[in-house]
């Protein structure tokens, strides 16, 4: 018995074109199943949900914005709590009429420094926040409930 007979049938029973069509359909079904049921890019077995204490600074905000940042637990997926909040006038550099530069406090704008507890993921590569590495200097946009602010990380230490 030949593998393909003179009529183009596989093992004398199935047409070779039909067999290839069935294999193509099976490959498409398998690829679709792998896409739907496969790894969705979420955390791996070595990833661990944790919290991280972060020093976060927001500069040049109006006083009412600084006042709107709540202290205590936050109802947010990313920010667990504001542990400590301090507000001071924003320092600016101004030029006098002779061209000399002077550091002065802004008459209105404020700098807010926060100690936050963030919901993070600890991976083999380090601490990640919202899928990206948590690093000093990283710009973040955080939702505190009544206000959303852009600022940067000045320090952090992993928690538990």
């Amino acid at each position: 018995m030949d593998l393909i007979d003179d009529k183009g049938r596989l093992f004398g029973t199935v047409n070779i074109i039909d067999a290839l069509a069935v294999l193509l359909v099976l490959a498409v079904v398998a690829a679709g199943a792998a896409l739907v049921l496969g790894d969705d890019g979420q955390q791996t077995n070595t990833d661990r949900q944790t919290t991280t204490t972060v020093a976060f600074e927001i500069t040049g905000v109006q006083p009412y914005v600084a006042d709107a940042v709540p202290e205590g637990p936050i109802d947010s997926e990313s920010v667990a709590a504001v542990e400590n909040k301090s507000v001071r006038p924003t320092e600016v550099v101004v030029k006098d009429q002779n061209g000399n530069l002077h550091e002065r406090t802004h008459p209105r704008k404020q700098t807010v420094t926060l100690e936050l507890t963030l919901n993070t993921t600890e991976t083999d590569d380090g601490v990640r926040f919202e899928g990206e590495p948590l690093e000093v200097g990283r710009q973040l946009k955080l939702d505190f409930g009544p206000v959303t602010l852009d600022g940067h990380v000045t320090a952090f230490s992993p928690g538990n």
Side-chain angles (χ1 to χ4, degrees), residues 3 20 51 61 67 69 80 96 144:
L3 183 63
L20 290 175
T51 58
V61 297
D67 292 341
V69 178
D96 66 15
F144 295 99

Side-chain angles (χ1 to χ4, degrees), residues 2-54:
D2 293 328
L3 183 63
I4 299 176
D5 66 8
D6 57 348
K7 294 182 181 179
R9 294 181 294 194
L10 190 61
F11 300 112
T13 56
V14 178
N15 186 315
I16 188 93
I17 302 298
D18 293 339
L20 290 175
V22 169
L23 287 176
L24 178 65
V25 168
L26 289 176
V28 169
V29 169
L35 181 66
V36 171
L37 302 174
D39 183 22
D40 58 1
Q42 297 295 322
Q43 67 185 28
T44 63
N45 292 338
T46 59
D47 294 353
R48 177 171 82 90
Q49 295 299 316
T50 186
T51 58
T52 302
T53 302
V54 173

